Amino acid sequence: MIGDQFYRHIENGPEFSGLNVNQGIEPLPSVDENSVKRFLKNKKKNALSVQQFVDGILNGDITILSQAVTLVESSKPEHQEIAQEIIVKCLPFSGNSVRIGITGVPGVGKSTFIEAMGKHITAKGNKLAVLAIDPSSERTKGSILGDKTRMEDLSIDPNAYIRPSPSAGSLGGVARKTRETIVLCEAAGFNHIFIETVGVGQSETAVHSMVDFFLLLMLAGAGDELQGIKRGIMEMADVITINKADGNNIEKAGLARVQYMNALHLFPPTDSGWKPRVTTCSAYMKTGISEIWETIDEYLSLVKGNGYFQHKRNEQSKFWMYETINEQLRNSFYQNEQIKTLMEESEGKVLKEEISSFVAARKLLDLYDKIKKNNI
Ligand code: GDP
């Protein structure tokens, strides 16, 4: 039965057939600010302590590991502070892994390869973390390495952990964060770490400075075998693998292999005593994968036997100490407001040739000294 109330709306009257207006409801009370405050306070209270993070990581809890990596990647000083405490506590449990760098131009098949090799590794009962260094990902919205769907099988493998590249920041900053993430992953029990990077820029050098083994993926192409990848990157490679050696590309891949082997002969001998190899594989067909794995094994037993493995890791630790100092000094200098103001002024004066570049730099550094002294 329709009550009186129904007709209180003029549109519900008989002259407006076909249009019913329902009775409204009381407006909801506005959001209680105190409850919001309580919620935020509880959220803070519920945030994990450093020790809880460390315990979670050591127990192999992936959710906690991911949260810790997010802190490592954050640029907020309060996050960085916690992240550094977690890293320090995880350090004694790190180091126990094989770190492998994988590079190659976009489209060469890096993700397909990582998936094939990754499954090969986890099938043997290992735990694999796949990290990436892609400082350009902010520009490309993470499309190169941030796209998890490219490794569908691996991303649902309980023994694999895939973490896209930290996006924002300089190459040095992004690389340092990845270096720190390695520590956390190792502490969480990942005994194999892949670091993927796009073989087009400077990031290979950064990757090289944090891995034990460097794999360069290449394509066989008509006459372009040595193009696209800089000679310096080839020199870093412990193994060059020609991917997509399948179908009617098998022969071309074989020819490319010979060409690369000839090119490698011209390179100076390596410090490790290892003679870089060239192999072929099809990441798609999963052929040639176990051979590469055996080659990596062979490399590891050589360098562990002759002391190069530890020597390289020591050198890398030193490198990252200096890198971190350099990065922090740079940030503290360039992000200082007084410095920024004087920098702008000085730049103008240098351009107008009112002062020399060296005097301008000296003045800026003197100001920085003064700021630091006053702070202490
Ligand atoms: P990335 O950009 O280096 O990560 O390359 P992807 O792994 O995304 O591969 C690029 C394209 O090459 C995709 O279409 C893959 O299916 C294809 N691809 C990758 N590996 C192989 C392979 O071994 N053989 C063939 N025929 N295609 C491959």
Side-chain angles (χ1 to χ4, degrees), residues 287-342:
T287 52
I289 302 294
S290 58
E291 287 80 353
I292 298 170
W293 191 241
E294 282 156 23
T295 307
I296 295 176
D297 241 6
E298 224 182 290
Y299 172 87
L300 289 173
S301 47
L302 174 84
V303 294
K304 281 186 176 167
N306 68 13
Y308 183 77
F309 183 88
Q310 198 48 50
H311 165 76
K312 191 172 174 186
R313 283 208 170 176
N314 293 346
E315 289 299 309
Q316 290 174 340
S317 298
K318 274 199 284 182
F319 173 85
W320 283 103
M321 182 180 93
Y322 290 114
E323 270 296 296
T324 309
I325 294 173
N326 291 344
E327 195 200 347
Q328 301 217 344
L329 279 178
R330 252 196 316 267
N331 286 348
S332 132
F333 180 82
Y334 286 107
Q335 283 167 15
N336 182 283
E337 290 306 321
Q338 293 180 64
I339 293 286
K340 277 191 204 168
T341 314
L342 184 62

Side-chain angles (χ1 to χ4, degrees), residues 104-240:
V105 292
V108 71
K110 288 180 299 298
S111 23
T112 315
F113 177 85
I114 289 173
E115 171 133 301
M117 179 65 98
K119 291 301 287 180
H120 184 77
I121 290 173
T122 57
K124 289 180 186 295
N126 295 299
K127 286 184 80 182
L128 168 72
V130 180
L131 313 176
I133 294 187
D134 177 19
S136 65
S137 64
E138 198 181 28
R139 214 174 350 119
T140 58
K141 299 255 178 291
S143 61
I144 300 181
L145 301 171
D147 185 358
K148 255 193 186 181
T149 56
R150 296 178 318 146
M151 301 180 206
E152 273 170 10
D153 285 346
L154 205 57
S155 59
I156 53 166
D157 186 329
N159 286 322
Y161 173 63
I162 302 176
R163 181 85 186 185
S165 174
S167 53
S170 62
L171 169 60
V174 167
R176 180 181 54 76
K177 288 168 187 177
T178 304
R179 176 72 184 78
E180 291 174 346
T181 301
I182 293 180
V183 172
L184 302 186
C185 290
E186 288 175 347
F190 289 93
N191 60 352
H192 287 75
I193 315 276
F194 281 178
I195 320 270
E196 179 190 9
T197 193
V198 181
V200 287
Q202 293 296 306
S203 34
E204 300 71 28
T205 319
V207 174
H208 195 239
S209 61
M210 61 178 83
V211 297
D212 307 312
F213 186 93
F214 199 68
L215 179 96
L216 172 61
L217 285 177
M218 294 286 249
L219 288 176
D224 66 354
E225 272 71 19
L226 300 178
Q227 285 175 30
I229 288 281
K230 293 192 189 84
R231 184 194 149 106
I233 299 175
M234 278 184 65
E235 274 185 52
M236 282 182 220
D238 297 302
V239 162
I240 295 177

Side-chain angles (χ1 to χ4, degrees), residues 6-270:
F6 183 72
Y7 292 106
R8 257 189 231 144
H9 293 285
I10 183 160
E11 297 92 335
N12 291 341
E15 67 271 36
F16 293 105
S17 63
L19 180 72
N20 288 341
V21 177
N22 292 325
Q23 191 192 353
I25 57 162
E26 284 291 308
L28 288 170
S30 65
V31 177
D32 172 10
E33 285 195 7
N34 283 333
S35 74
V36 173
K37 275 187 197 147
R38 260 198 314 277
F39 171 76
L40 289 175
K41 209 171 150 197
N42 279 343
K43 208 171 157 208
K44 247 191 183 161
K45 238 198 294 175
N46 291 340
L48 297 180
S49 69
V50 168
Q51 196 53 48
Q52 280 169 322
F53 268 116
V54 175
D55 291 342
I57 291 170
L58 295 182
N59 282 330
D61 184 324
I62 298 297
T63 312
I64 293 185
L65 171 67
S66 290
Q67 286 171 358
V69 175
T70 303
L71 291 177
V72 166
E73 290 173 357
S74 165
S75 49
K76 285 191 182 160
E78 63 269 31
H79 290 169
Q80 273 303 308
E81 204 176 305
I82 306 171
Q84 292 310 318
E85 284 182 48
I86 299 170
I87 291 167
V88 167
K89 292 199 170 194
C90 283
L91 262 176
F93 305 95
S94 72
N96 208 4
S97 81
V98 183
R99 304 166 185 166
I100 297 169
I102 296 170
T103 195
V105 292
V108 71
K110 288 180 299 298
S111 23
T112 315
F113 177 85
I114 289 173
E115 171 133 301
M117 179 65 98
K119 291 301 287 180
H120 184 77
I121 290 173
T122 57
K124 289 180 186 295
N126 295 299
K127 286 184 80 182
L128 168 72
V130 180
L131 313 176
I133 294 187
D134 177 19
S136 65
S137 64
E138 198 181 28
R139 214 174 350 119
T140 58
K141 299 255 178 291
S143 61
I144 300 181
L145 301 171
D147 185 358
K148 255 193 186 181
T149 56
R150 296 178 318 146
M151 301 180 206
E152 273 170 10
D153 285 346
L154 205 57
S155 59
I156 53 166
D157 186 329
N159 286 322
Y161 173 63
I162 302 176
R163 181 85 186 185
S165 174
S167 53
S170 62
L171 169 60
V174 167
R176 180 181 54 76
K177 288 168 187 177
T178 304
R179 176 72 184 78
E180 291 174 346
T181 301
I182 293 180
V183 172
L184 302 186
C185 290
E186 288 175 347
F190 289 93
N191 60 352
H192 287 75
I193 315 276
F194 281 178
I195 320 270
E196 179 190 9
T197 193
V198 181
V200 287
Q202 293 296 306
S203 34
E204 300 71 28
T205 319
V207 174
H208 195 239
S209 61
M210 61 178 83
V211 297
D212 307 312
F213 186 93
F214 199 68
L215 179 96
L216 172 61
L217 285 177
M218 294 286 249
L219 288 176
D224 66 354
E225 272 71 19
L226 300 178
Q227 285 175 30
I229 288 281
K230 293 192 189 84
R231 184 194 149 106
I233 299 175
M234 278 184 65
E235 274 185 52
M236 282 182 220
D238 297 302
V239 162
I240 295 177
T241 294
I242 324 286
N243 188 32
K244 306 197 186 181
D246 46 46
N248 51 17
N249 207 26
I250 292 184
E251 202 180 321
K252 261 202 268 173
L255 284 173
R257 179 171 173 260
V258 175
Q259 270 184 301
Y260 283 121
M261 279 186 344
N262 291 337
L264 286 186
H265 282 312
L266 305 174
F267 289 173
T270 58

